[in-house]
Amino acid sequence: MAARGDPPEGTPDGNPGGDEDEYRSVVFDESFIRAARLQEFSARERMGDRSHAVRRRDPADRPDLGSSTPRRGSVQVLLLVLVIAVAFGTAVYVGVRPPYRPPLTRSAEPLRMTVIPLAPAGAVPGDNPDSLLRRSPAAKFPTGASGIPLPPSRRTPHFTENEVMTALTTAKDYLVASSVDPDVLTGAERRSVRTLLDPDQLAQFDQSFADPADDGRHAPAGWLVRFDPAKVTLAEPAVRVRGTLRYAESAAGTIDVLSDHTFVYALRPAGQPAERDASLFTVRRTLHFRFDREDLPRHRAELLISQVQAGPQVCSNGSPSTLRPLLAGGRATPAGPAGTDPYATGPPTAGLCGVLDSRAQPGA
């Protein structure tokens, strides 16, 4: 007996489901129909003058294709732009970024110093500070840090212009702290000078003040200018300065700065009124700084060589912790420094002394 819905004569070929089972897996859903490339004309359209029963559909009229194709193209374009931007950014970064610099393990050398006292040929002139300076070679010297101008900085084969300027600025800061700062000049502190030194030189710096020695390594005057506040005071706080700074690249990893400056101080005896008892004291400092790539960003310097000429003062052996200037009316002792014994053991010592040219003193 035929099932409900089957033809009375049964399904063809005796199949219960007929051809329906053969095409059961093919589902003509709405999306399939809308994505078809061909579309049959409607009955009304076929009544017109049509040579074909079907027409080709425009992709823009097919929602499934018209929306997916532009979206896929937009994503591809966006990815391409992103890849180009990343490649360009990488090229710029590699081009601007400084080359890899291996860490340095070089140790700073000990400071080599020479301190030469200059003895006057006669009595030290005395007067008020303005009169003395006006009659001295320092009459037109600038005062303080303005007397230490920085030269134009240019890049070197291995250092940028900014790195050269950093080296020059650090050298100037050291000169100001060690030769102009009133607290350092009067012995109140020396930390501002110490912090500008390479850590490898700090032990030598500290020993120079704890145990001064005339051995070319541990004279305090090799590091800074300092007077004994119990004997000397500043009659004029402004220090007259004139000199030059030069730089050169000594090696691929170091840059050297050479300074040559003359500092003029107006001094008077401690505890006495400054009327007509002031005198001038002149110090010429020639320093050789060296900077490596570790020193520059840390604003510190390696001090290689220090040459100091200072007067008027008495020639004497030993290395006092402060300079000992002769004040107004003072005279150098006729006898020179004691002899040097070549048979002595221990660190070599030698009494170095020069004569202060009379033209370096204020005129009449």
Side-chain angles (χ1 to χ4, degrees):
M1 183 174 180
R4 183 183 298 269
D6 291 341
E9 64 276 10
T11 58
D13 300 330
N15 293 332
D19 293 338
E20 183 179 354
D21 291 339
E22 182 179 355
Y23 299 99
R24 187 177 299 275
S25 61
V26 180
V27 179
F28 298 97
D29 57 5
E30 182 67 21
S31 63
F32 178 84
I33 295 173
R34 296 177 63 185
R37 295 184 179 181
L38 299 179
Q39 184 182 25
E40 184 180 4
F41 288 113
S42 65
R44 183 181 298 276
E45 290 173 330
R46 287 198 300 269
M47 293 176 62
D49 184 13
R50 298 290 181 181
S51 59
H52 300 283
V54 297
R55 63 179 177 182
R56 185 176 297 276
R57 299 181 65 186
D58 189 355
D61 297 333
R62 291 182 284 164
D64 291 344
L65 297 179
S67 59
S68 62
T69 301
R71 184 182 301 113
R72 188 179 299 111
S74 300
V75 171
Q76 292 176 348
V77 172
L78 180 61
L79 289 176
L80 179 60
V81 172
L82 182 61
V83 170
I84 294 174
V86 171
F88 180 76
T90 302
V92 171
Y93 176 75
V94 172
V96 174
R97 180 177 178 268
Y100 171 73
R101 296 167 178 171
L104 300 177
T105 57
R106 184 184 63 85
S107 299
E109 301 178 13
L111 170 61
R112 294 170 292 166
M113 60 184 69
T114 303
V115 180
I116 302 176
L118 302 177
V124 177
D127 205 336
N128 65 73
D130 292 338
S131 176
L132 290 172
L133 289 169
R134 189 169 55 251
R135 294 184 283 117
S136 75
K140 297 184 179 180
F141 282 17
T143 59
S146 61
I148 311 176
L150 298 178
S153 62
R154 298 180 177 86
R155 65 174 298 118
T156 64
H158 298 93
F159 288 89
T160 66
E161 181 179 345
N162 287 338
E163 289 174 328
V164 172
M165 178 57 66
T166 299
L168 292 170
T169 301
T170 304
K172 176 178 179 176
D173 290 345
Y174 185 92
L175 289 169
V176 172
S178 62
S179 308
V180 177
D181 187 349
D183 291 335
V184 174
L185 297 178
T186 57
E189 67 99 14
R190 57 177 180 270
R191 184 178 179 277
S192 59
V193 179
R194 190 179 188 274
T195 56
L196 293 171
L197 290 171
D198 189 288
D200 293 336
Q201 294 186 315
L202 296 183
Q204 182 186 6
F205 179 87
D206 294 337
Q207 184 180 351
S208 298
F209 293 89
D211 186 18
D214 188 17
D215 58 359
R217 290 288 190 273
H218 300 96
W223 301 99
L224 51 82
V225 177
R226 187 171 72 162
F227 305 108
D228 185 350
K231 299 179 179 179
V232 177
T233 188
L234 296 174
E236 173 66 40
V239 180
R240 301 297 179 98
V241 188
R242 187 175 69 178
T244 60
L245 282 172
R246 296 181 292 115
Y247 66 91
E249 184 176 321
S250 57
T254 58
I255 184 170
D256 292 5
V257 175
L258 306 177
S259 69
D260 186 356
H261 292 81
T262 299
F263 302 86
V264 182
Y265 307 89
L267 306 176
R268 62 180 176 84
Q272 296 186 14
E275 294 178 355
R276 297 180 60 85
D277 56 359
S279 60
L280 299 185
F281 188 78
T282 305
V283 178
R284 180 182 178 184
R285 304 184 73 194
T286 305
L287 305 180
H288 183 173
F289 300 90
R290 176 164 292 171
F291 301 87
D292 58 30
R293 298 196 182 279
E294 291 184 357
D295 294 327
L296 290 174
R298 292 172 172 82
H299 196 64
R300 67 192 189 193
E302 176 185 348
L303 192 54
L304 291 182
I305 300 174
S306 173
Q307 296 178 339
V308 180
Q309 298 174 344
Q313 61 179 331
V314 177
C315 295
S316 62
N317 277 342
S319 180
S321 59
T322 61
L323 295 170
R324 297 186 294 186
L326 283 171
L327 301 177
R331 293 177 178 270
T333 56
T340 301
D341 183 3
Y343 294 95
T345 59
T349 60
L352 299 177
C353 188
V355 177
L356 183 63
D357 194 316
S358 59
R359 292 173 296 181
Q361 297 277 31

